[in-house]
Amino acid sequence: MDGPMNSVAARVDQAAEAGGEAAVSFLRDLIRLQSGGEAAVQARIAAACEQLGCIVETRRYSPANVVLREEFASEAAMAAEEREAVLARFPGSGGGRSVIFFAHPDGEAFQPQHGWLHDPMAGEIDQGRIHGWGVADDLAGIATMVEALRAVLAAGVVPKGDVILASTPSKRHARGVHALLHGGVTADAAVYLHPAESGIGMREVKALAPGQLVFRIIVKGKLPPTQEPGHTAFAHLAVNPIEKAMGVLAALRALDARRGARVHHPALDAAVGRSTNLLVGDLKTLGDGRAARIAPAVQLSCALSFPPGEKLADVQAEVEAAIAEAVAADPALEVETIFLSGVTGAEVPLDHPLWLATHEAVLRGTGTAPEINPLHTSSDIRNPMVQSGIPCVGLGPLCGDLTQNGGRDEWVDVADYRRGVAVVAALIAGWCGAE
């Protein structure tokens, strides 16, 4: 980095440090405002961006009407209600590269019987951790992008390229960033800001996201010809879907084995020794649970991960072919396959300018070169890449006990959150250029 840019980076670092307490206060505000609903959170974000001199607009959209590429979700899996995305643009002075920062304001549905030790809507700080409903998923991401731009401007630095901040609903396929991307919002790069659950916080960068196909298989049975409440004596006259489900499981295991031997991605192979997996995450009968009754059906809930480069439609066709093969081998097997959702993977190469700029910003802010975690299946970093061809990485501070994972007292590390503001501020200056 040359002398002038070193000077700019130092000023941005100092401004981020000076604004650290205010950045924490802003995050606490967002946590508290959740009691007023998502609209209250979005209004606060919009107001903060306007105070920074951004051109702010809100866009209402229906998730079901958003255009998609290489992605789908069934009605059962998708948010149906109309939503609102906040879009804030800080115009650059000219001659620099533009960037979209995005994060989601919506978290898991609030449960009054939450069992937390901390007030989930207070933003309490305890032993260096800020606790709050949705603080790690993803209010800290929202706060980071706003406070990072604030630090850049407080340093007297004007980005040459446009800086776009987008607070976009995401949960249950809410498709907020999709709506903006297909609504004409574009840039030279994008950054998804979301706390990191894997233990190293700001030292981790998401630059690869495997795709995922989620589906259910209903294996149907046949009740015995009797009105007796107990079926044991008549079991030989029935089709037991539990037994038939074993054939389906065998077909899925065989498909998984074939794919595991054939499908490879160097980063995934290096990380876990395998680049694709087919998981049967749940198996249950669709009956009343009585031991002396034949269940009418068995349901298998499945998820299949696949690396960037594979097409979603091709993976789906492989699943359909494997099930069809099992049915052909057993005339008594009757199944229904329901595809619930699917997304395509994407990645940023390690020689890409966005990765290099991100690497430099993380190294400067943490003192350590970043690590790539390639295992964030279906991470939102895929969206700008798949939908609009915009390179995208993801990063965020250390977090834990996510409500999404059944945890309690969801938290974000305060020091790493403040560090994240400095890293993103440095990335703005480095990527967009600065005056």
Side-chain angles (χ1 to χ4, degrees):
M1 186 180 287
D2 57 24
M5 282 308 297
N6 263 320
S7 173
V8 166
R11 285 159 50 197
V12 169
D13 289 345
Q14 292 167 5
E17 177 62 28
E21 289 301 322
V24 173
S25 295
F26 180 61
L27 177 54
R28 297 184 75 189
D29 283 349
L30 297 184
I31 294 168
R32 296 182 186 116
L33 283 167
Q34 289 181 108
S35 59
E38 187 179 315
V41 175
Q42 291 287 61
R44 179 70 176 91
I45 295 162
C49 292
E50 286 178 346
Q51 291 170 359
L52 294 177
C54 295
I55 301 167
V56 179
E57 61 176 303
T58 57
R59 295 193 183 183
R60 296 197 65 80
Y61 68 96
S62 173
N65 295 334
V66 175
V67 175
L68 295 177
R69 295 192 180 101
E70 294 292 325
E71 180 174 336
F72 72 89
S74 69
E75 289 186 6
M78 185 174 56
E81 65 275 12
E82 191 176 72
R83 305 299 290 274
E84 181 176 276
V86 172
L87 178 67
R89 182 187 300 270
F90 188 89
S93 61
R97 297 175 294 196
S98 57
V99 62
I100 301 167
F101 292 99
F102 68 102
H104 62 87
D106 51 333
E108 297 298 306
F110 183 69
Q111 302 296 326
Q113 304 302 320
H114 46 72
W116 285 37
L117 299 178
H118 299 83
D119 183 341
M121 297 296 178
E124 295 179 11
I125 297 177
D126 183 13
Q127 298 184 29
R129 295 173 173 178
I130 181 168
H131 297 267
W133 199 272
V135 65
D137 190 27
D138 176 28
L139 296 180
I142 296 280
T144 297
M145 66 185 184
V146 174
E147 293 300 320
L149 179 57
R150 190 189 308 278
V152 170
L153 300 178
V157 172
V158 178
K160 291 183 178 180
D162 288 359
V163 179
I164 300 168
L165 310 182
S167 179
T168 52
S170 172
K171 293 289 185 179
R172 293 185 56 240
H173 299 274
R175 297 174 175 169
V177 71
H178 300 71
L180 296 185
L181 293 169
H182 291 293
V185 177
T186 189
D188 296 311
V191 179
Y192 176 47
L193 296 174
H194 195 295
E197 308 97 287
S198 51
I200 61 173
M202 289 306 303
R203 294 189 291 112
E204 174 187 300
V205 174
K206 303 177 184 74
L208 185 156
Q212 181 165 258
L213 177 65
V214 178
F215 58 99
R216 288 182 186 145
I217 300 174
I218 309 297
V219 183
K220 300 179 181 180
K222 181 180 179 182
L223 302 183
T226 180
Q227 297 299 312
E228 290 287 337
H231 292 169
T232 308
F234 307 90
H236 64 293
L237 301 175
V239 174
N240 190 333
I242 296 175
E243 296 174 357
K244 295 300 178 185
M246 298 304 104
V248 175
L249 282 169
L252 294 176
R253 283 197 300 269
L255 173 61
D256 188 36
R258 291 194 300 270
R259 285 184 50 79
R262 188 189 82 241
V263 177
H264 295 283
H265 186 288
L268 293 168
D269 281 354
V272 290
R274 191 176 170 109
S275 295
T276 179
N277 276 294
L278 198 167
L279 169 68
V280 180
D282 185 61
L283 186 153
K284 64 181 178 183
T285 62
L286 302 181
D288 58 16
R290 283 188 282 172
R293 297 278 298 182
I294 295 290
V298 166
Q299 176 180 283
L300 287 72
S301 296
C302 313
L304 193 159
S305 66
F306 57 98
E310 277 202 288
K311 293 288 188 181
L312 176 59
D314 293 341
V315 175
Q316 186 171 336
E318 278 194 73
V319 172
E320 292 172 327
I323 300 304
E325 186 176 327
V327 171
D330 183 356
L333 178 59
E334 184 180 357
V335 303
E336 178 186 5
T337 304
I338 304 167
F339 291 100
L340 298 175
S341 63
V343 298
T344 301
E347 63 184 317
V348 171
L350 296 188
D351 59 353
H352 192 281
L354 176 60
W355 163 252
L356 299 176
T358 303
H359 183 282
E360 184 174 334
V362 172
L363 179 59
R364 180 178 185 86
T366 68
T368 305
E371 300 177 22
I372 289 181
N373 185 339
L375 302 174
H376 288 280
T377 306
S378 71
S379 168
D380 281 10
I381 68 167
R382 74 186 192 276
N383 292 321
M385 292 189 273
V386 175
Q387 301 303 315
S388 297
I390 299 172
C392 182
V393 297
L395 65 168
L398 179 66
C399 72
D401 297 329
L402 267 70
T403 307
Q404 177 180 351
N405 296 339
R408 299 289 184 270
D409 294 277
E410 182 174 314
W411 57 268
V412 164
D413 183 86
V414 173
D416 211 37
Y417 163 63
R418 292 181 58 170
R419 193 174 296 116
V421 171
V423 167
V424 174
L427 182 55
I428 292 173
W431 176 260
C432 297
E435 291 186 352

